[in-house]
Amino acid sequence: MSSSAQKYDVFQAIADPTRREVLKLLAYKELPISEITSHFPMSRTAIAKHLHILSEANLVSGQKVGREKRYHLQPETFQELKDWLSYYDQFWNNKLSMLKYVVENDGEDSRKNKETD
Amino acid sequence: MSSSAQKYDVFQAIADPTRREVLKLLAYKELPISEITSHFPMSRTAIAKHLHILSEANLVSGQKVGREKRYHLQPETFQELKDWLSYYDQFWNNKLSMLKYVVENDGEDSRKNKETD
DNA sequence: ATTATATGAAACCTTTTGGTGTTATGTCAA
DNA sequence: TTGACATAACACCAAAAGGTTTCATATAAT
């Protein structure tokens, strides 16, 4: 059930705005491809590709029902992102003072450096 | 609150594995570009580009100290991701039964499926 | 059986992405 | 001032990403 060699991971999957919109749509209820497509200004084929990517990342899953394929979210995979984020929580919590020091002393040269980048 | 027209958002920024590694490095302490580069099998220029992207997404920030530029994480921006994720928590919590129903019954509910012509 | 619907899949195109190398600029140390 | 160091700012390139159109296949309905 879990394909070992996945080309797209969760991070790549959610990088695209269209795919995030698709996820939002599927949050409410499962939908077939053509129904999803009707919400976007692009071809059905394009949406199908996006769904394929979301599917490879295990963010969604599709089931054939008659002649249509209905896609729904896969909650478990969102956990992957939460885990990734929680790793950094360690630092905000444990090392917060150290970080605050670094951040708040960005005027080492006694002058506020404008972000010219 | 730097709100310029940013080309890269948080989602795109974390999509690249190298950039996620950079974030991991910077979690411990701020580092200059060349130091960061020493952890990767690619040129300093490449890393500089990655830092530029992370910087545009406000995930990191750099301050010039003497002739080097030290980069550090920007904790606030990680909140953006948490917020995005928490949106879906709604559904896992409130509508979990509905979703489980949909998944487990592979979409047998036919209440609002109208034929579109 | 025929036709309309829903999707799958391939070939193709353009822009973006992620890397390279080279050159220029600014800073520290003799 | 000179030389070493740290980075910035190009120009360039191959591959991937995101879209298109076209064609094929499976199911539903008449």
Side-chain angles (χ1 to χ4, degrees), chain A residues 91-92 95-106, chain B residues 75:
Chain A
F91 297 94
W92 315 153
K95 298 193 179 179
L96 189 57
S97 55
M98 173 273 200
L99 281 167
K100 277 182 80 73
Y101 174 81
V102 169
V103 172
E104 288 170 5
N105 284 273
D106 64 341

Side-chain angles (χ1 to χ4, degrees), chain B residues 5-6 17 43 51 78:
Chain B
Q6 51 182 24
S43 71
L51 284 168
F78 284 73

